[in-house]
Amino acid sequence: MGKIKKPKLNQVKSNIVESLELPRDIMYGAVIITAMGRNQVLVENYKGIIEYTREKIRLQTKNCQVTVQGQRLVVEYYTNEEMKITGFIQGISYDS
Amino acid sequence: MLIDKIKYLQGYVRVRLYGYAPERFLNLCSNHNILIWNLEYREEQYEFCISVRGLRQLKPILKKTRTKLVILERTGLPFVMRRYRKRKLFFAGIILCCGLLYTMSLFVWKIEINGNLHETDSNIIKFLEGHQVYHGLLKSKIDCDKIEEELRAGFGDIIWASAKLEGTMLIIDVQENLATNQQAEAKQEEDGTPTDLVADKEAVIYSILTRKGTPKVEKGIHVKPGDLLVEGKNPVLNDAKEVASYQYCVSDADILGITEYPYQDSFPLQYDDKSFSGSQSETFGVRIFQKQLKIPHISHKFESYDTITDEYDVKIGETFYLPLVLIKETRKEYKIVPKQYHPSKAKQLAKENLESFCKELTEKGVQIIENNVMIVTDGKKCTASGILKVIEPIGKRKATSMADIQQEGQMENESDGNNR
């Protein structure tokens, strides 16, 4: 019973979010990635850092993992809510 | 910018982290709300900045993640204070400086006056000094409302005044009545006292147009100063064509007269010219309150020189003036060289002078009709002399003399009024 109910609940939730136009980042805890030019990426709503080297930063978010690839990557600051990555960005990819 | 300042005030350290699970350490930090910035990965070690307060909370996290921490550098005020903690005089100096600044901020060090056109700044400042408002007065003793009132009362042509304190500056805005003279004239006319128009200079009447009063002159008549032009009383004749009484009025007329202006201008052909040698000496000084201290000019001694003094007010921000003025004095040497005008050049100069004189006259509303000025250059000087014939408005006001007409006339007048 529970297994059938859960997708239904999800459906209801997404319906509510859609119809009331509620912000998705709050409702789903979706990650927000703001890339400014090639040198700056601002990541909000992440859970934690999995891996960090100068060429690759892997972050855990609620639903997926986000990898920022580049050169000379530096975390300018990071708090519970957001982090700012600077450096030469070469790619942003999502892995489940 | 501001965040950097706050970080500096609170103090932060740059540390190197290494060990078993540095990533877990970072996540724990963010979960504990410990701010970390400028995180960098270097040779399998992490380097980052962390505040002093954050550093104190790290111990359990370090233990949990089995990592180690090395402090690379310390930045910020707390560390500076610690380094200089034995220098008591240094701190005393800082406190003294703050105290002095605060005390200085209690006084007015500059008075700025805006909007005055007729009254000069120094005039108003002198007036304020007379009313116990001067440079170096305690700000708490200044009553802006009172200053405004005094300014309005003290200067007739100031119709609006506003005083405000800003920093150590007292700003006074005034609005002057620009139409004072016209108004005064108008008032005189409205006054109602009958007036005549009399000639104020020797002239030949060019034209006369009377609006009120009895004209006493005609076109082409030669008048002397004091001659009556328009009388401010109209005779009232009775049936027998005798003057029964007078109606008094404020006479009003446009009278143009042809007058003569003698012109005389002469200057010697020889003159002294300042020739700057180009060498100059500079010195600096300060003025604290009213005392002036200056370094004497040592490097150069000049016989004759021009002195240029630049003064710079010392201020903090826009409005916090301090009672300190920096002075820069420059002396420029010159030599007097006797020179002589070339006759043609002298003639031109005399002509220019004459032209500027004419221009001045024209600006006053005078029309020049004849210009008989001769410019003569002899060996020693250049002389311009002659007469300018002009047309200009003449006539000034003078109270009408009340004629003592026989009692009956007045009686009649009164009865006339009653009958109406």
Side-chain angles (χ1 to χ4, degrees):
Chain A
M1 279 292 276
K3 269 189 181 175
I4 306 162
K5 246 189 180 176
K6 218 180 177 185
K8 246 191 180 176
L9 217 89
N10 271 342
Q11 192 67 42
V12 171
K13 187 179 174 184
S14 75
N15 276 346
I16 292 173
V17 169
E18 291 276 316
S19 56
L20 293 181
E21 290 182 21
L22 295 171
R24 278 160 176 274
D25 53 324
I26 296 167
M27 295 317 290
Y28 295 127
V31 65
I32 301 174
I33 299 174
T34 317
M36 268 171 278
R38 262 202 106 155
N39 306 325
Q40 212 178 73
V41 177
L42 191 74
V43 185
E44 290 166 72
N45 273 346
Y46 72 99
K47 294 265 172 202
I49 301 169
I50 300 170
E51 191 187 341
Y52 173 25
T53 64
R54 280 166 76 88
E55 283 77 35
K56 190 177 179 187
I57 296 178
R58 209 136 64 90
L59 303 171
Q60 181 66 51
T61 70
K62 196 178 174 187
N63 303 319
C64 62
Q65 284 180 8
V66 175
T67 312
V68 178
Q69 277 179 314
Q71 287 166 18
R72 303 183 302 278
L73 295 179
V74 175
V75 177
E76 204 147 285
Y77 63 86
Y78 88 106
T79 64
N80 230 344
E81 291 93 34
E82 62 174 54
M83 74 187 292
K84 193 191 224 176
I85 300 165
T86 57
F88 185 70
I89 313 286
Q90 286 173 323
I92 300 170
S93 54
Y94 300 85
D95 324 294
S96 51
Chain B
M1 259 325 256
L2 186 70
I3 287 171
D4 286 350
K5 295 265 158 60
I6 292 169
K7 278 177 185 164
Y8 180 83
L9 279 179
Q10 289 182 339
Y12 62 88
V13 289
R14 186 155 183 86
V15 295
R16 179 177 291 151
L17 183 81
Y18 57 94
Y20 177 67
E23 284 88 0
R24 192 169 169 225
F25 171 90
L26 297 175
N27 288 333
L28 278 171
C29 276
S30 74
N31 283 340
H32 283 84
N33 268 333
I34 298 167
L35 184 71
I36 281 170
W37 67 94
N38 285 351
L39 179 62
E40 239 175 297
Y41 182 80
R42 242 179 226 173
E43 295 146 21
E44 309 208 344
Q45 292 175 340
Y46 289 95
E47 279 181 25
F48 56 85
C49 294
I50 186 165
S51 70
V52 176
R53 203 152 29 120
L55 196 68
R56 292 212 183 97
Q57 301 171 13
L58 285 184
K59 218 171 187 182
I61 301 174
L62 285 170
K63 210 170 182 185
K64 201 183 267 178
T65 56
R66 278 191 272 164
T67 47
K68 282 192 175 139
L69 209 144
V70 182
I71 293 175
L72 298 176
E73 59 179 294
R74 299 173 170 87
T75 330
L77 194 66
F79 301 110
V80 175
M81 296 285 269
R82 206 180 139 73
R83 199 177 309 151
Y84 296 128
R85 67 188 180 280
K86 282 189 179 162
R87 305 189 179 181
K88 293 189 179 78
L89 272 177
F90 174 67
F91 288 108
I94 289 176
I95 292 166
L96 190 75
C97 179
C98 292
L100 260 175
L101 266 184
Y102 175 71
T103 339
M104 289 304 171
S105 72
L106 293 177
F107 297 88
V108 167
W109 294 120
K110 189 173 173 71
I111 299 177
E112 199 182 276
I113 296 157
N114 301 320
N116 49 328
L117 295 170
H118 291 291
E119 301 293 342
T120 58
D121 281 4
S122 57
N123 225 356
I124 294 176
I125 287 174
K126 211 174 262 173
F127 171 82
L128 288 174
E129 272 169 11
H131 286 80
Q132 304 301 315
V133 178
Y134 45 84
H135 293 94
L137 183 71
L138 260 177
K139 278 202 308 204
S140 55
K141 280 195 181 164
I142 285 182
D143 182 357
C144 288
D145 293 340
K146 207 176 130 206
I147 292 173
E148 287 165 15
E149 232 165 76
E150 279 168 358
L151 275 174
R152 278 198 302 268
F155 293 97
D157 48 357
I158 289 180
I159 49 169
W160 174 84
S162 136
K164 64 179 173 192
L165 280 168
E166 215 168 84
T168 58
M169 192 156 65
L170 175 66
I171 300 173
I172 292 173
D173 290 303
V174 295
Q175 182 72 51
E176 284 179 353
N177 191 357
L178 300 176
T180 321
N181 295 332
Q182 292 168 12
Q183 271 189 350
E185 213 169 272
K187 209 177 175 186
Q188 206 181 1
E189 274 180 28
E190 281 164 21
D191 205 3
T193 32
T195 51
D196 295 337
L197 288 176
V198 296
D200 48 358
K201 56 179 79 174
E202 202 174 326
V204 176
I205 302 298
Y206 178 73
S207 81
I208 177 162
L209 183 89
T210 317
R211 278 187 286 271
K212 265 186 198 169
T214 316
K216 291 285 177 186
V217 287
E218 281 176 3
K219 186 179 171 181
I221 284 181
H222 188 99
V223 292
K224 289 198 171 67
D227 282 0
L228 194 63
L229 300 175
V230 178
E231 204 172 19
K233 56 184 178 186
N234 297 323
V236 178
L237 305 180
N238 58 13
D239 291 344
K241 304 261 166 150
E242 289 167 337
V243 176
S245 70
Y246 289 108
Q247 274 185 346
Y248 292 96
C249 65
V250 180
S251 50
D252 185 13
D254 290 337
I255 306 157
L256 293 177
I258 301 169
T259 56
E260 287 176 351
Y261 277 89
Y263 180 77
Q264 182 77 35
D265 179 32
S266 86
F267 53 89
L269 289 181
Q270 275 196 345
Y271 69 102
D272 292 334
D273 192 32
K274 266 189 195 175
S275 145
F276 287 96
S277 65
S279 61
Q280 58 180 46
S281 82
E282 285 178 354
T283 187
F284 299 93
V286 288
R287 196 171 68 226
I288 304 167
F289 296 103
Q290 305 298 332
K291 280 255 166 63
Q292 193 165 322
L293 297 171
K294 226 167 37 184
I295 309 166
H297 291 264
I298 324 162
S299 51
H300 301 279
K301 287 264 184 274
F302 300 140
E303 247 178 55
S304 42
Y305 50 82
D306 277 356
T307 307
I308 300 161
T309 308
D310 293 315
E311 293 195 350
Y312 303 98
D313 287 323
V314 178
K315 57 180 175 177
I316 301 171
E318 277 296 301
T319 51
F320 189 175
Y321 282 86
L322 295 175
L324 184 68
V325 178
L326 300 181
I327 298 167
K328 182 186 167 196
E329 197 181 276
T330 313
R331 284 183 180 175
K332 287 187 175 170
E333 191 193 22
Y334 66 81
K335 288 204 173 70
I336 287 178
V337 184
K339 279 191 179 171
Q340 191 157 16
Y341 286 120
H342 190 266
S344 66
K345 171 88 176 134
K347 221 167 202 175
Q348 200 190 337
L349 208 69
K351 221 174 190 174
E352 275 169 18
N353 284 350
L354 177 63
E355 265 165 24
S356 72
F357 181 75
C358 287
K359 204 177 160 199
E360 239 171 67
L361 280 180
T362 330
E363 271 168 11
K364 274 197 272 179
V366 168
Q367 191 190 338
I368 298 167
I369 50 170
E370 251 183 76
N371 185 345
N372 301 321
V373 178
M374 295 274 289
I375 299 171
V376 182
T377 332
D378 58 15
K380 279 185 179 168
K381 58 182 184 175
C382 173
T383 317
S385 65
I387 285 168
L388 291 166
K389 255 191 186 174
V390 304
I391 296 175
E392 65 173 334
I394 55 168
K396 65 175 179 193
R397 287 186 184 285
K398 196 182 162 194
T400 309
S401 60
M402 299 284 184
D404 281 334
I405 204 97
Q406 45 286 54
Q407 284 297 96
E408 311 143 45
Q410 286 204 344
M411 293 280 282
E412 232 172 77
N413 208 1
E414 270 173 31
S415 62
D416 266 7
N418 287 341
N419 286 342
R420 255 179 246 152

